C-alpha cells in the first residue's frame, strides 16, 4: 500500500511540474536558472546602409543594463592558406531594446568602410569595467559570419555602398564681428575650395525683402576639414542701418547673381550691434580672447551619420570635448558595485584641433544617431579635460552650446 502511494505521489508531482512548465511557456516569463540566450540575425546586403555602417540585429534574454561589445575579425582560413593580417579589424558597441517577457532585441553598428573584401566573423560579448576603467570582456555569447565582396561578388555577399553626399550651403548664426567693427557672416558648404559664391544682403521692409537698401558681392570657398569647406563675407556694417535683413548666398554662375535652381541658402535676422564681441551661449566674449564656435547644424534624424564642425582659437593639436545630451536632461543611477546605469540617449567624444586660416582653427566630430531617440538635444563643445588620477573633469575656459531637434 505504501509503495502504491509513493507511485501516485510521483505521478501527481510530475503532472504539477508539467503544468508549471507549460504555464511559464504560455506567460512568456523566463525560466529560472536557464542560461541567457543570444542570437545574431543573418547578415545580408540589406544590413549595410549608405554610410557603410553594418546594422547588427538579433535577440537576447539578457537584461537591458548589460553592456555589449561587438568584435569584427577575419574568419579563419583553410589549412595551407596565407594567414597574415588576420587580426581584429573593427570593434564597436551594441545595445539592448527591452521586449515582453524577457524576449529582448539587440541592435548594434559597425563601420565596415576600412574593411577589405573577405570572410569575416562578428562576435558579441558582454563587458564590465573595473574602477580604473579596465574593460573585462566575456567569451563570445553569439557569432555570425558573412562575406564582404567587391563589385564583382556573386549572390550572398555583402557589398559596401558608394556614399552620396547631398550638396549644401549653410549660414552660421550671425553675431560675430571683426576687431574693426565690421560684421562677419560665415558658413559651411560641400562645394570645393576655390568655387566662387554670390551674396546679397537686403533690408526687410514691412515683412518683405523689397527695400532699396541692398548690399552684394562675391566670396570664394576656402578649405575646411573632413570635406566640409567654409566661406566668409564682410558686408561692411558701417553703412548698414540696424534693421532686419535677409542674407542670401549661392553658387556664383554669372557675376554677382545666380539663376534659380543653383545651390543657395537664405537667412533672416536682426542686424547685431556693431562691436568687437563674439557671441556664444555663455555670453559675449571679446574677439581677442579665446573662443570656440559651432557651425550651422544640418537637419538631423535618427539612424544617420553627421559631421559637426566649428572654429576655435585653440592651437592645432589641442583637444576639444563634444557632448550631446537630451535638452530635458538625464538621470544616471549610481550603484557602488555596478557603476553608472540607466537610460541615456547621447554621445561624448574628444577630437584634436586642426589648422585653419585667418586666426580660426577647426574642429570636427562624426555623430552617429543610431542609438538616439527622437527628441530635442543640446550639443556642447568645450576644452574641458579629464583627470584620470583624480577621477574628475577639469573645467576649461571655452564653451559653446547649440540646441537642435532630432527627428525620427
Amino acid at each position: 500500500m505504501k509503495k502504491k502511494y509513493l507511485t501516485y505521489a510521483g505521478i501527481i508531482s510530475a503532472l504539477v511540474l508539467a503544468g508549471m512548465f507549460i504555464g511559464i511557456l504560455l506567460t512568456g516569463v523566463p525560466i529560472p536558472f536557464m542560461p541567457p540566450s543570444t542570437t545574431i540575425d543573418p547578415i545580408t546586403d540589406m544590413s549595410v546602409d549608405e554610410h557603410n555602417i553594418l546594422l547588427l540585429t538579433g535577440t537576447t534574454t539578457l537584461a537591458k543594463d548589460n553592456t555589449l561589445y561587438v568584435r569584427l575579425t577575419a574568419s579563419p582560413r583553410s589549412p595551407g592558406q596565407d594567414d597574415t593580417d588576420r587580426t581584429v579589424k573593427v570593434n564597436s558597441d551594441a545595445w539592448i531594446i527591452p521586449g515582453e517577457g524577457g524576449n529582448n532585441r539587440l541592435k548594434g553598428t559597425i563601420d565596415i568602410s576600412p574593411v577589405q573584401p573577405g570572410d569575416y566573423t562578428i562576435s558579441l560579448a558582454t563587458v564590465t569595467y573595473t574602477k580604473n576603467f579596465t574593460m573585462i570582456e566575456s567569451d563570445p555569447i553569439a557569432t555570425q559570419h558573412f562575406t564582404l565582396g567587391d563589385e564583382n561578388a556573386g549572390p550572398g555577399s555583402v557589398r559596401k555602398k558608394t556614399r552620396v553626399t547631398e550638396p549644401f550651403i549653410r549660414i552660421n548664426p550671425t553675431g560675430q564681428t571683426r576687431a574693426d567693427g565690421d560684421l562677419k557672416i560665415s558658413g559651411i558648404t560641400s562645394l570645393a575650395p576655390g568655387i566662387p559664391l554670390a551674396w546679397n544682403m537686403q533690408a526687410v521692409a514691412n515683412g518683405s525683402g523689397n527695400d532699396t537698401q541692398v548690399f552684394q558681392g562675391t566670396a570664394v570657398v576656402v578649405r575646411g576639414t573632413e570635406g566640409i569647406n567654409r566661406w566668409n563675407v564682410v558686408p561692411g556694417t558701417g553703412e548698414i542701418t540696424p534693421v532686419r535683413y535677409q542674407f542670401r548666398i549661392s553658387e556664383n554662375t554669372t557675376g554677382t547673381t545666380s539663376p534659380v535652381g543653383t545651390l543657395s541658402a537664405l537667412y533672416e535676422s536682426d542686424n547685431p550691434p556693431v562691436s568687437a564681441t563674439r557671441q556664444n551661449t555663455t555670453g559675449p566674449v571679446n574677439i581677442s580672447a579665446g573662443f570656440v564656435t559651432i557651425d550651422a547644424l544640418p537637419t538631423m534624424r535618427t539612424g544617420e551619420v553627421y559631421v559637426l564642425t566649428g572654429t576655435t582659437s585653440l592651437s592645432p593639436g589641442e583637444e576639444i570635448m563634444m557632448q550631446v545630451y537630451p535638452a530635458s536632461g538625464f538621470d544616471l543611477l549610481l550603484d557602488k558595485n555596478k557603476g553608472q546605469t540607466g537610460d541615456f540617449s547621447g554621445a561624448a567624444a574628444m577630437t584634436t584641433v586642426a589648422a585653419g586660416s585667418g586666426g580660426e582653427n577647426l574642429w570636427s566630430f562624426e555623430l552617429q544617431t543610431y542609438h538616439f531617440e527622437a527628441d530635442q538635444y543640446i550639443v556642447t563643445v568645450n576644452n574641458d579635460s579629464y583627470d584620470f588620477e583624480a577621477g574628475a573633469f577639469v573645467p576649461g575656459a571655452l564653451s559653446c552650446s547649440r540646441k537642435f531637434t532630432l527627428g525620427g
Side-chain angles (χ1 to χ4, degrees), residues 75-111:
S75 298
R77 293 180 175 177
S78 302
Q81 288 185 301
D82 182 15
D83 202 44
T84 59
D85 193 27
R86 308 303 287 170
T87 56
V88 172
K89 296 297 180 181
V90 184
N91 299 325
S92 187
D93 300 309
W95 58 95
I96 297 173
I97 302 173
E100 294 183 359
N103 298 313
N104 302 325
R105 293 290 296 172
L106 66 88
K107 287 189 176 182
T109 59
I110 193 160
D111 185 1

mmCIF file of all heavy atoms in Angstrom, residues 75-111:
data_model
loop_
_atom_site.group_PDB
_atom_site.id
_atom_site.type_symbol
_atom_site.label_atom_id
_atom_site.label_comp_id
_atom_site.label_asym_id
_atom_site.label_seq_id
_atom_site.Cartn_x
_atom_site.Cartn_y
_atom_site.Cartn_z
ATOM 1 N N SER A 75 37.630 35.734 -40.665
ATOM 2 C CA SER A 75 37.350 34.324 -40.392
ATOM 3 C C SER A 75 38.592 33.479 -40.664
ATOM 4 O O SER A 75 39.374 33.785 -41.569
ATOM 5 C CB SER A 75 36.188 33.846 -41.262
ATOM 6 O OG SER A 75 35.017 34.569 -40.957
ATOM 7 N N PRO A 76 38.774 32.392 -39.888
ATOM 8 C CA PRO A 76 39.946 31.522 -40.129
ATOM 9 C C PRO A 76 39.917 30.957 -41.536
ATOM 10 O O PRO A 76 38.869 30.608 -42.074
ATOM 11 C CB PRO A 76 39.769 30.421 -39.072
ATOM 12 C CG PRO A 76 38.885 31.025 -38.031
ATOM 13 C CD PRO A 76 37.970 31.944 -38.762
ATOM 14 N N ARG A 77 41.081 30.884 -42.120
ATOM 15 C CA ARG A 77 41.184 30.330 -43.472
ATOM 16 C C ARG A 77 41.480 28.837 -43.404
ATOM 17 O O ARG A 77 41.865 28.291 -42.371
ATOM 18 C CB ARG A 77 42.282 31.045 -44.252
ATOM 19 C CG ARG A 77 41.944 32.512 -44.529
ATOM 20 C CD ARG A 77 43.047 33.185 -45.309
ATOM 21 N NE ARG A 77 42.677 34.547 -45.681
ATOM 22 C CZ ARG A 77 43.481 35.388 -46.327
ATOM 23 N NH1 ARG A 77 44.694 35.027 -46.655
ATOM 24 N NH2 ARG A 77 43.059 36.601 -46.640
ATOM 25 N N SER A 78 41.354 28.167 -44.553
ATOM 26 C CA SER A 78 41.627 26.739 -44.633
ATOM 27 C C SER A 78 43.115 26.484 -44.457
ATOM 28 O O SER A 78 43.947 27.353 -44.743
ATOM 29 C CB SER A 78 41.151 26.189 -45.979
ATOM 30 O OG SER A 78 39.763 26.446 -46.154
ATOM 31 N N PRO A 79 43.493 25.295 -43.986
ATOM 32 C CA PRO A 79 44.925 24.976 -43.838
ATOM 33 C C PRO A 79 45.675 25.170 -45.148
ATOM 34 O O PRO A 79 45.191 24.823 -46.227
ATOM 35 C CB PRO A 79 44.902 23.501 -43.418
ATOM 36 C CG PRO A 79 43.562 23.317 -42.776
ATOM 37 C CD PRO A 79 42.623 24.210 -43.542
ATOM 38 N N GLY A 80 46.859 25.761 -45.054
ATOM 39 C CA GLY A 80 47.675 25.980 -46.243
ATOM 40 C C GLY A 80 47.513 27.353 -46.848
ATOM 41 O O GLY A 80 48.333 27.777 -47.657
ATOM 42 N N GLN A 81 46.439 28.094 -46.474
ATOM 43 C CA GLN A 81 46.242 29.437 -46.995
ATOM 44 C C GLN A 81 47.056 30.447 -46.203
ATOM 45 O O GLN A 81 47.369 30.237 -45.024
ATOM 46 C CB GLN A 81 44.759 29.817 -46.960
ATOM 47 C CG GLN A 81 43.905 29.100 -47.992
ATOM 48 C CD GLN A 81 42.484 29.623 -47.981
ATOM 49 O OE1 GLN A 81 41.814 29.567 -46.967
ATOM 50 N NE2 GLN A 81 42.030 30.112 -49.113
ATOM 51 N N ASP A 82 47.397 31.551 -46.852
ATOM 52 C CA ASP A 82 48.139 32.622 -46.194
ATOM 53 C C ASP A 82 47.302 33.186 -45.051
ATOM 54 O O ASP A 82 46.169 33.600 -45.253
ATOM 55 C CB ASP A 82 48.471 33.719 -47.218
ATOM 56 C CG ASP A 82 49.296 34.835 -46.587
ATOM 57 O OD1 ASP A 82 49.834 34.619 -45.487
ATOM 58 O OD2 ASP A 82 49.393 35.909 -47.209
ATOM 59 N N ASP A 83 47.860 33.196 -43.851
ATOM 60 C CA ASP A 83 47.107 33.638 -42.684
ATOM 61 C C ASP A 83 47.647 34.947 -42.117
ATOM 62 O O ASP A 83 47.458 35.254 -40.948
ATOM 63 C CB ASP A 83 47.134 32.567 -41.593
ATOM 64 C CG ASP A 83 45.977 32.710 -40.610
ATOM 65 O OD1 ASP A 83 44.858 32.939 -41.070
ATOM 66 O OD2 ASP A 83 46.229 32.610 -39.398
ATOM 67 N N THR A 84 48.334 35.735 -42.957
ATOM 68 C CA THR A 84 48.852 37.021 -42.499
ATOM 69 C C THR A 84 47.734 38.046 -42.416
ATOM 70 O O THR A 84 46.722 37.942 -43.101
ATOM 71 C CB THR A 84 49.936 37.537 -43.455
ATOM 72 O OG1 THR A 84 49.376 37.662 -44.764
ATOM 73 C CG2 THR A 84 51.116 36.579 -43.506
ATOM 74 N N ASP A 85 47.935 39.032 -41.567
ATOM 75 C CA ASP A 85 46.972 40.132 -41.385
ATOM 76 C C ASP A 85 45.571 39.615 -41.065
ATOM 77 O O ASP A 85 44.576 40.086 -41.598
ATOM 78 C CB ASP A 85 46.940 41.014 -42.641
ATOM 79 C CG ASP A 85 46.201 42.332 -42.370
ATOM 80 O OD1 ASP A 85 46.202 42.763 -41.209
ATOM 81 O OD2 ASP A 85 45.622 42.889 -43.309
ATOM 82 N N ARG A 86 45.511 38.636 -40.164
ATOM 83 C CA ARG A 86 44.208 38.096 -39.759
ATOM 84 C C ARG A 86 43.843 38.629 -38.367
ATOM 85 O O ARG A 86 43.322 37.941 -37.512
ATOM 86 C CB ARG A 86 44.227 36.562 -39.745
ATOM 87 C CG ARG A 86 44.732 35.947 -41.034
ATOM 88 C CD ARG A 86 43.931 36.404 -42.230
ATOM 89 N NE ARG A 86 42.615 35.798 -42.270
ATOM 90 C CZ ARG A 86 41.654 36.179 -43.107
ATOM 91 N NH1 ARG A 86 41.847 37.190 -43.930
ATOM 92 N NH2 ARG A 86 40.493 35.577 -43.104
ATOM 93 N N THR A 87 44.175 39.864 -38.125
ATOM 94 C CA THR A 87 43.954 40.476 -36.825
ATOM 95 C C THR A 87 42.545 41.068 -36.734
ATOM 96 O O THR A 87 41.798 41.100 -37.704
ATOM 97 C CB THR A 87 44.989 41.588 -36.583
ATOM 98 O OG1 THR A 87 44.907 42.527 -37.665
ATOM 99 C CG2 THR A 87 46.393 41.013 -36.540
ATOM 100 N N VAL A 88 42.210 41.551 -35.548
ATOM 101 C CA VAL A 88 40.925 42.208 -35.348
ATOM 102 C C VAL A 88 40.814 43.403 -36.279
ATOM 103 O O VAL A 88 41.743 44.190 -36.425
ATOM 104 C CB VAL A 88 40.784 42.654 -33.881
ATOM 105 C CG1 VAL A 88 39.534 43.516 -33.699
ATOM 106 C CG2 VAL A 88 40.715 41.446 -32.962
ATOM 107 N N LYS A 89 39.694 43.568 -36.909
ATOM 108 C CA LYS A 89 39.502 44.649 -37.871
ATOM 109 C C LYS A 89 38.812 45.854 -37.240
ATOM 110 O O LYS A 89 39.325 46.954 -37.291
ATOM 111 C CB LYS A 89 38.686 44.142 -39.066
ATOM 112 C CG LYS A 89 39.377 43.063 -39.871
ATOM 113 C CD LYS A 89 40.649 43.562 -40.514
ATOM 114 C CE LYS A 89 41.326 42.469 -41.324
ATOM 115 N NZ LYS A 89 42.583 42.939 -41.929
ATOM 116 N N VAL A 90 37.639 45.649 -36.684
ATOM 117 C CA VAL A 90 36.848 46.763 -36.169
ATOM 118 C C VAL A 90 36.149 46.318 -34.888
ATOM 119 O O VAL A 90 35.663 45.196 -34.798
ATOM 120 C CB VAL A 90 35.790 47.229 -37.199
ATOM 121 C CG1 VAL A 90 35.040 48.450 -36.676
ATOM 122 C CG2 VAL A 90 36.434 47.538 -38.543
ATOM 123 N N ASN A 91 36.104 47.219 -33.899
ATOM 124 C CA ASN A 91 35.345 46.976 -32.675
ATOM 125 C C ASN A 91 34.263 48.042 -32.549
ATOM 126 O O ASN A 91 34.436 49.173 -32.988
ATOM 127 C CB ASN A 91 36.252 47.020 -31.446
ATOM 128 C CG ASN A 91 37.338 45.962 -31.515
ATOM 129 O OD1 ASN A 91 37.121 44.873 -32.029
ATOM 130 N ND2 ASN A 91 38.510 46.288 -30.999
ATOM 131 N N SER A 92 33.156 47.672 -31.926
ATOM 132 C CA SER A 92 32.063 48.625 -31.763
ATOM 133 C C SER A 92 31.195 48.191 -30.576
ATOM 134 O O SER A 92 31.593 47.313 -29.804
ATOM 135 C CB SER A 92 31.231 48.704 -33.051
ATOM 136 O OG SER A 92 30.268 49.722 -32.969
ATOM 137 N N ASP A 93 30.030 48.814 -30.454
ATOM 138 C CA ASP A 93 29.125 48.531 -29.343
ATOM 139 C C ASP A 93 27.765 48.089 -29.859
ATOM 140 O O ASP A 93 27.405 48.335 -31.010
ATOM 141 C CB ASP A 93 28.944 49.773 -28.462
ATOM 142 C CG ASP A 93 30.256 50.252 -27.869
ATOM 143 O OD1 ASP A 93 30.959 49.417 -27.286
ATOM 144 O OD2 ASP A 93 30.577 51.442 -28.010
ATOM 145 N N ALA A 94 27.014 47.451 -28.970
ATOM 146 C CA ALA A 94 25.620 47.097 -29.251
ATOM 147 C C ALA A 94 24.810 47.418 -28.003
ATOM 148 O O ALA A 94 25.362 47.615 -26.917
ATOM 149 C CB ALA A 94 25.502 45.625 -29.621
ATOM 150 N N TRP A 95 23.489 47.470 -28.152
ATOM 151 C CA TRP A 95 22.622 47.804 -27.026
ATOM 152 C C TRP A 95 21.367 46.958 -27.091
ATOM 153 O O TRP A 95 21.034 46.374 -28.133
ATOM 154 C CB TRP A 95 22.279 49.289 -27.015
ATOM 155 C CG TRP A 95 21.616 49.790 -28.259
ATOM 156 C CD1 TRP A 95 20.278 49.918 -28.479
ATOM 157 C CD2 TRP A 95 22.260 50.210 -29.475
ATOM 158 N NE1 TRP A 95 20.049 50.400 -29.746
ATOM 159 C CE2 TRP A 95 21.243 50.599 -30.378
ATOM 160 C CE3 TRP A 95 23.598 50.315 -29.884
ATOM 161 C CZ2 TRP A 95 21.522 51.063 -31.660
ATOM 162 C CZ3 TRP A 95 23.876 50.777 -31.164
ATOM 163 C CH2 TRP A 95 22.854 51.149 -32.028
ATOM 164 N N ILE A 96 20.669 46.880 -25.954
ATOM 165 C CA ILE A 96 19.510 46.005 -25.812
ATOM 166 C C ILE A 96 18.238 46.837 -25.746
ATOM 167 O O ILE A 96 18.171 47.839 -25.026
ATOM 168 C CB ILE A 96 19.645 45.131 -24.548
ATOM 169 C CG1 ILE A 96 20.870 44.212 -24.690
ATOM 170 C CG2 ILE A 96 18.385 44.305 -24.316
ATOM 171 C CD1 ILE A 96 21.196 43.442 -23.432
ATOM 172 N N ILE A 97 17.232 46.411 -26.512
ATOM 173 C CA ILE A 97 15.919 47.057 -26.511
ATOM 174 C C ILE A 97 14.943 46.117 -25.816
ATOM 175 O O ILE A 97 14.723 45.005 -26.282
ATOM 176 C CB ILE A 97 15.451 47.362 -27.946
ATOM 177 C CG1 ILE A 97 16.463 48.264 -28.651
ATOM 178 C CG2 ILE A 97 14.070 47.999 -27.942
ATOM 179 C CD1 ILE A 97 16.174 48.485 -30.107
ATOM 180 N N PRO A 98 14.371 46.540 -24.672
ATOM 181 C CA PRO A 98 13.502 45.640 -23.904
ATOM 182 C C PRO A 98 12.287 45.180 -24.701
ATOM 183 O O PRO A 98 11.687 45.950 -25.459
ATOM 184 C CB PRO A 98 13.076 46.491 -22.698
ATOM 185 C CG PRO A 98 14.102 47.572 -22.605
ATOM 186 C CD PRO A 98 14.525 47.846 -24.016
ATOM 187 N N GLY A 99 11.935 43.923 -24.506
ATOM 188 C CA GLY A 99 10.725 43.366 -25.096
ATOM 189 C C GLY A 99 9.852 42.763 -24.004
ATOM 190 O O GLY A 99 10.139 42.906 -22.814
ATOM 191 N N GLU A 100 8.814 42.063 -24.388
ATOM 192 C CA GLU A 100 7.902 41.471 -23.421
ATOM 193 C C GLU A 100 8.421 40.110 -22.971
ATOM 194 O O GLU A 100 8.957 39.336 -23.764
ATOM 195 C CB GLU A 100 6.508 41.324 -24.029
ATOM 196 C CG GLU A 100 5.827 42.660 -24.344
ATOM 197 C CD GLU A 100 4.421 42.474 -24.870
ATOM 198 O OE1 GLU A 100 4.004 41.302 -25.001
ATOM 199 O OE2 GLU A 100 3.756 43.485 -25.134
ATOM 200 N N GLY A 101 8.268 39.839 -21.682
ATOM 201 C CA GLY A 101 8.633 38.539 -21.146
ATOM 202 C C GLY A 101 10.103 38.217 -21.238
ATOM 203 O O GLY A 101 10.488 37.043 -21.302
ATOM 204 N N GLY A 102 10.961 39.241 -21.269
ATOM 205 C CA GLY A 102 12.396 38.999 -21.343
ATOM 206 C C GLY A 102 12.904 38.682 -22.724
ATOM 207 O O GLY A 102 14.097 38.403 -22.907
ATOM 208 N N ASN A 103 12.018 38.687 -23.730
ATOM 209 C CA ASN A 103 12.439 38.452 -25.115
ATOM 210 C C ASN A 103 12.859 39.788 -25.727
ATOM 211 O O ASN A 103 12.075 40.476 -26.369
ATOM 212 C CB ASN A 103 11.294 37.817 -25.913
ATOM 213 C CG ASN A 103 10.888 36.468 -25.353
ATOM 214 O OD1 ASN A 103 11.743 35.634 -25.083
ATOM 215 N ND2 ASN A 103 9.594 36.250 -25.171
ATOM 216 N N ASN A 104 14.094 40.156 -25.506
ATOM 217 C CA ASN A 104 14.592 41.465 -25.907
ATOM 218 C C ASN A 104 15.247 41.413 -27.278
ATOM 219 O O ASN A 104 15.681 40.357 -27.744
ATOM 220 C CB ASN A 104 15.596 41.981 -24.873
ATOM 221 C CG ASN A 104 14.985 42.074 -23.489
ATOM 222 O OD1 ASN A 104 13.808 42.393 -23.353
ATOM 223 N ND2 ASN A 104 15.771 41.782 -22.471
ATOM 224 N N ARG A 105 15.301 42.574 -27.910
ATOM 225 C CA ARG A 105 16.017 42.715 -29.175
ATOM 226 C C ARG A 105 17.362 43.385 -28.914
ATOM 227 O O ARG A 105 17.516 44.162 -27.964
ATOM 228 C CB ARG A 105 15.220 43.584 -30.150
ATOM 229 C CG ARG A 105 13.924 42.969 -30.633
ATOM 230 C CD ARG A 105 14.137 41.802 -31.556
ATOM 231 N NE ARG A 105 14.798 42.215 -32.805
ATOM 232 C CZ ARG A 105 15.251 41.346 -33.728
ATOM 233 N NH1 ARG A 105 15.155 40.056 -33.516
ATOM 234 N NH2 ARG A 105 15.816 41.781 -34.827
ATOM 235 N N LEU A 106 18.337 43.068 -29.729
ATOM 236 C CA LEU A 106 19.616 43.754 -29.646
ATOM 237 C C LEU A 106 19.902 44.432 -30.977
ATOM 238 O O LEU A 106 19.487 43.961 -32.044
ATOM 239 C CB LEU A 106 20.747 42.798 -29.268
ATOM 240 C CG LEU A 106 21.150 41.685 -30.252
ATOM 241 C CD1 LEU A 106 22.200 42.172 -31.260
ATOM 242 C CD2 LEU A 106 21.702 40.492 -29.489
ATOM 243 N N LYS A 107 20.556 45.578 -30.888
ATOM 244 C CA LYS A 107 20.977 46.317 -32.075
ATOM 245 C C LYS A 107 22.415 46.774 -31.881
ATOM 246 O O LYS A 107 22.855 47.021 -30.758
ATOM 247 C CB LYS A 107 20.064 47.528 -32.316
ATOM 248 C CG LYS A 107 18.679 47.185 -32.827
ATOM 249 C CD LYS A 107 17.913 48.431 -33.239
ATOM 250 C CE LYS A 107 16.563 48.078 -33.834
ATOM 251 N NZ LYS A 107 15.819 49.289 -34.294
ATOM 252 N N GLY A 108 23.119 46.891 -32.975
ATOM 253 C CA GLY A 108 24.495 47.361 -32.928
ATOM 254 C C GLY A 108 24.903 47.913 -34.270
ATOM 255 O O GLY A 108 24.213 47.734 -35.280
ATOM 256 N N THR A 109 26.006 48.620 -34.302
ATOM 257 C CA THR A 109 26.537 49.177 -35.550
ATOM 258 C C THR A 109 28.024 48.897 -35.620
ATOM 259 O O THR A 109 28.709 48.863 -34.597
ATOM 260 C CB THR A 109 26.311 50.696 -35.613
ATOM 261 O OG1 THR A 109 26.958 51.318 -34.489
ATOM 262 C CG2 THR A 109 24.835 51.042 -35.589
ATOM 263 N N ILE A 110 28.506 48.706 -36.830
ATOM 264 C CA ILE A 110 29.936 48.521 -37.026
ATOM 265 C C ILE A 110 30.317 49.093 -38.385
ATOM 266 O O ILE A 110 29.662 48.815 -39.400
ATOM 267 C CB ILE A 110 30.322 47.034 -36.897
ATOM 268 C CG1 ILE A 110 31.820 46.871 -36.792
ATOM 269 C CG2 ILE A 110 29.733 46.197 -37.992
ATOM 270 C CD1 ILE A 110 32.221 45.552 -36.185
ATOM 271 N N ASP A 111 31.316 49.937 -38.397
ATOM 272 C CA ASP A 111 31.735 50.641 -39.608
ATOM 273 C C ASP A 111 32.628 49.727 -40.437
ATOM 274 O O ASP A 111 33.726 49.351 -40.013
ATOM 275 C CB ASP A 111 32.488 51.915 -39.223
ATOM 276 C CG ASP A 111 32.847 52.776 -40.429
ATOM 277 O OD1 ASP A 111 32.493 52.403 -41.571
ATOM 278 O OD2 ASP A 111 33.488 53.831 -40.233
#
